[in-house]
Amino acid sequence: MDGLRDKMKRMERDYAHGSSWYFEQAAILMAEIELDQIESFKHWLAGLRPGMASIMMILDIMEENRIESKGDLSLLSSVLIEEKRETERKLRSQKLGDLGTVMTISYSSAVSSILSSSQVDRVFLLRSSPGMEYRNAYQDYSSFTEVTV
């Protein structure tokens, strides 16, 4: 249980990662909770980043699926993680051609996947608060194009 709480606290303190990271971390944690923790886990998750689409999706999926055993939690977790990875593979295969100069705010692994597989001359990167995740974006996007913050 302490390992689970540590992971939950890490998610609470994190302001550098984006929606897909929260999705995967929530799916991983889902496999670690006990059946009698489902409702408190959902309540915690709903308050973690209110309105974040990836978290809302996890909550919806948990509501829509009948969870009767730890095996159900593990299976649902595995399916969600595999679907996320498949979506990432599809994003990396998308080529939008010559995009020239683009502007984005904060950091998104989805945006990175699309930009890195397309022709981008320059990215104007806006800083975002509170997490300052633009630093991660700068490091990632700079690996394939010129970046101006």
Side-chain angles (χ1 to χ4, degrees), residues 3-14 21-30 33 37-51 55-56 58-59 62:
L4 178 63
R5 284 193 187 143
D6 289 343
K7 291 174 187 176
M8 292 168 78
K9 289 289 183 196
R10 187 181 72 190
M11 288 178 73
E12 290 169 2
R13 290 189 301 262
D14 184 274
W21 181 83
Y22 281 95
F23 182 91
E24 185 165 355
Q25 296 305 304
I28 290 168
L29 289 180
M30 183 189 306
I33 63 172
Q37 297 173 314
I38 291 174
E39 291 308 313
S40 61
F41 177 72
K42 290 192 301 189
H43 179 72
W44 170 79
L45 198 55
L48 182 61
R49 297 289 178 268
I55 290 176
M56 300 306 295
I58 294 271
L59 291 169
M62 288 183 79

Side-chain angles (χ1 to χ4, degrees), residues 46-127:
L48 182 61
R49 297 289 178 268
M52 184 177 274
S54 62
I55 290 176
M56 300 306 295
M57 182 183 295
I58 294 271
L59 291 169
D60 288 347
I61 289 168
M62 288 183 79
E63 283 296 318
E64 293 169 2
N65 287 275
R66 190 177 197 143
I67 301 170
E68 297 177 334
S69 69
K70 282 284 292 174
D72 291 343
L73 285 167
S74 294
L75 178 61
L76 191 54
S77 170
S78 296
V79 168
L80 291 171
I81 292 166
E82 182 52 38
E83 287 297 318
K84 176 192 176 278
R85 291 182 180 152
E86 178 60 25
T87 299
E88 289 171 339
R89 284 189 286 275
K90 288 178 183 175
L91 279 171
R92 283 192 299 272
S93 71
Q94 297 300 309
K95 296 187 187 333
L96 299 179
D98 186 359
L99 299 178
T101 300
V102 298
M103 180 171 49
T104 187
I105 186 167
S106 80
Y107 178 68
S108 165
S109 58
V111 169
S112 179
S113 292
I114 291 172
L115 294 180
S116 66
S117 66
S118 303
Q119 180 61 39
V120 179
D121 299 326
R122 182 180 209 170
V123 172
F124 284 100
L125 177 63
L126 304 178
R127 293 178 188 228

